């Protein structure tokens, strides 16, 4: 079984034949952070207000109002709170296939390389870029069309996204992005967590996977994810438990055990601290 698939975000965005949606989000209002993950869709993070941290691969950038982050399919990324700041942003998520079909020259020349990681794009667009106003106008046009949903709005969205992509491609040098060794290692660790989070797991196990000492591993993991390994693992287990509470009829005891919590009282206490309610209240 490909463990990588269990770490992917698999939520369907938009309609089946028009895979596009916009999600307004606030950190920490809606959630404290979005942990490191990836998806097959393309994601644009458009910062509306405030300040936060956005991680792409192994790089963490300070996100300011107006910034646009471009996350191509398969890119490891995370979003976190910066100190005590609040950040409001939009997630604009769409499937690359939305922009062109298999027999399309543009799909062959640009979209397929984009999907397979063979086409590099600027990852962080700031308001001081000369071409920023054009890029921001494309996203605002897509936002407005999606809000009003007048007849033909899908064409407006598709056109705006194509113009946005054309701007990005014009700024890129069409070189394939090189995934760093540290990013590859992190991907392997995340895959391993997804396969073993239900089992007893310790730092030494993960360190052995990276062929380094536990102390070195803990420093590296925190540098890469912004969290300690123990906290990341606990939150991964809690999120898996929340998903099971939403989608299954399994007992709370069974779910806690399936997600790596050997003690029900500890699970209930940690779940309430993380989600602000007990597992039973969350399920209701």
């Amino acid at each position: 079984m490909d463990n990588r698939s269990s770490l992917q975000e698999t939520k369907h965005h938009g309609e089946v034949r028009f895979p596009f949606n916009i999600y307004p989000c606030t950190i920490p209002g809606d959630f404290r952070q979005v942990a490191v993950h990836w998806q097959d869709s393309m994601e644009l993070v458009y910062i509306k207000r405030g300040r936060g941290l956005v991680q792409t691969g192994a790089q963490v950038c300070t996100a300011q109002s107006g910034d646009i982050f471009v996350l191509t399919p398969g890119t490891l990324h995370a979003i976190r709170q910066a100190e005590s700041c609040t950040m409001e942003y939009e997630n604009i998520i769409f499937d690359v296939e939305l922009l062109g079909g298999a027999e399309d020259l543009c799909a062959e020349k640009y979209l397929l390389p984009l999907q397979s990681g063979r086409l590099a794009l600027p990852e962080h667009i700031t308001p001081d870029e000369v071409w920023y106003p054009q890029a921001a106008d494309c996203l605002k046009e897509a936002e407005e069309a999606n809000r009003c949903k007048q007849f033909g709005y899908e064409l407006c969205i598709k056109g705006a996204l194509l113009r946005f992509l054309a701007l990005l491609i014009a700024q890129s040098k069409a070189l394939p992005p090189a995934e760093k060794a540290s990013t590859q290692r992190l991907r392997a660790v995340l895959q391993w967590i997804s396969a073993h989070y239900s089992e007893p797991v310790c730092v030494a196990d993960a360190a052995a996977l990276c062929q380094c000492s536990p102390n070195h591993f803990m420093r590296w993991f925190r540098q890469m994810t912004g969290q300690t390994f123990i906290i990341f693992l606990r939150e991964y287990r809690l999120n898996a438990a929340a998903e099971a509470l939403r989608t299954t009829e399994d007992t709370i005891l069974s779910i806690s055990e399936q997600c790596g919590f050997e003690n029900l009282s500890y699970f209930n206490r940690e779940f309430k601290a993380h989600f602000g309610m007990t597992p039973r209240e969350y399920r209701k």
Side-chain angles (χ1 to χ4, degrees):
M1 179 180 178
D2 182 4
N3 294 330
R4 182 178 186 275
S5 63
S6 60
L7 267 176
Q8 285 180 275
E9 179 182 303
T10 56
K11 179 179 179 181
H12 180 74
H13 302 283
E15 300 175 10
V16 173
R17 298 182 65 186
F18 194 73
F20 170 92
N21 217 333
I22 299 178
Y23 304 95
C25 305
T26 302
I27 285 182
D30 294 321
F31 29 74
R32 290 181 293 182
Q33 69 166 354
V34 179
V36 177
H37 68 289
W38 68 83
Q39 58 204 28
D40 286 333
S41 301
M42 186 142 173
E43 180 175 346
L44 308 175
V45 179
Y46 190 2
I47 312 302
K48 295 297 185 174
R49 294 181 185 83
R51 186 164 66 92
L53 300 173
V54 175
Q55 176 179 344
T56 57
Q59 183 178 8
V60 179
C61 297
T62 298
Q64 309 275 3
S65 178
D67 286 3
I68 302 169
F69 290 85
V70 180
L71 308 171
T72 53
T75 300
L76 283 167
H77 60 282
I79 305 174
R80 298 193 289 274
Q81 186 179 21
E83 300 170 347
S84 58
C85 298
T86 297
M87 184 171 73
E88 297 178 21
Y89 65 96
E90 285 184 346
N91 270 350
I92 302 173
I93 302 179
F94 59 94
D95 288 356
V96 175
E97 292 94 334
L98 173 70
L99 303 182
E103 302 301 322
D104 190 306
L105 174 63
C106 291
E108 179 182 337
K109 193 171 181 180
Y110 306 111
L111 303 183
L112 293 177
L114 180 61
Q115 282 183 299
S116 62
R118 293 181 288 113
L119 178 62
L121 297 177
E123 293 183 336
H124 186 189
I125 308 169
T126 60
D128 57 359
E129 302 279 0
V130 174
W131 52 284
Y132 174 87
Q134 296 171 273
D137 285 345
C138 291
L139 299 189
K140 291 173 183 176
E141 181 181 334
E143 291 170 356
E144 182 63 16
N146 189 64
R147 185 184 67 82
C148 297
K149 287 186 169 57
Q150 295 180 350
F151 185 67
Y153 81 95
E154 298 95 339
L155 294 172
C156 293
I157 290 175
K158 187 172 179 177
L161 293 177
L162 283 168
R163 291 197 302 277
F164 181 81
L165 183 58
L167 284 168
L168 295 179
I169 290 173
Q171 308 308 314
S172 72
K173 295 180 174 54
L175 296 175
E179 187 173 51
K180 297 180 179 178
S182 58
T183 305
Q184 293 175 336
R185 185 184 302 172
L186 178 60
R187 193 185 292 275
V189 171
L190 295 179
Q191 292 172 0
W192 180 81
I193 290 173
S194 74
H196 298 282
Y197 73 92
S198 62
E199 307 166 10
V201 167
C202 65
V203 172
D205 297 328
L209 181 69
C210 296
Q211 298 181 332
C212 62
S213 70
N215 286 338
H216 177 79
F217 173 80
M218 287 189 292
R219 288 193 299 271
W220 169 81
F221 190 87
R222 183 161 193 163
Q223 181 183 9
M224 292 292 295
T225 67
Q227 292 179 291
T228 67
F229 176 78
I230 297 301
I231 291 176
F232 185 94
L233 177 62
R234 183 172 68 236
E235 292 191 354
Y236 189 95
R237 286 169 164 168
L238 289 170
N239 289 331
E243 177 69 16
L245 287 167
R246 290 195 303 269
T247 60
T248 76
E249 297 298 324
D250 294 346
T251 66
I252 293 174
L253 175 60
S254 176
I255 288 173
S256 69
E257 292 174 344
Q258 292 167 19
C259 295
F261 294 95
E262 297 180 359
N263 184 288
L264 181 59
S265 297
Y266 174 72
F267 169 66
N268 287 332
R269 184 167 62 252
E270 291 298 316
F271 193 96
K272 185 171 184 178
H274 186 70
F275 290 102
M277 62 186 75
T278 67
R280 190 177 302 279
E281 291 169 339
Y282 185 91
R283 170 167 270 174
K284 290 180 180 179

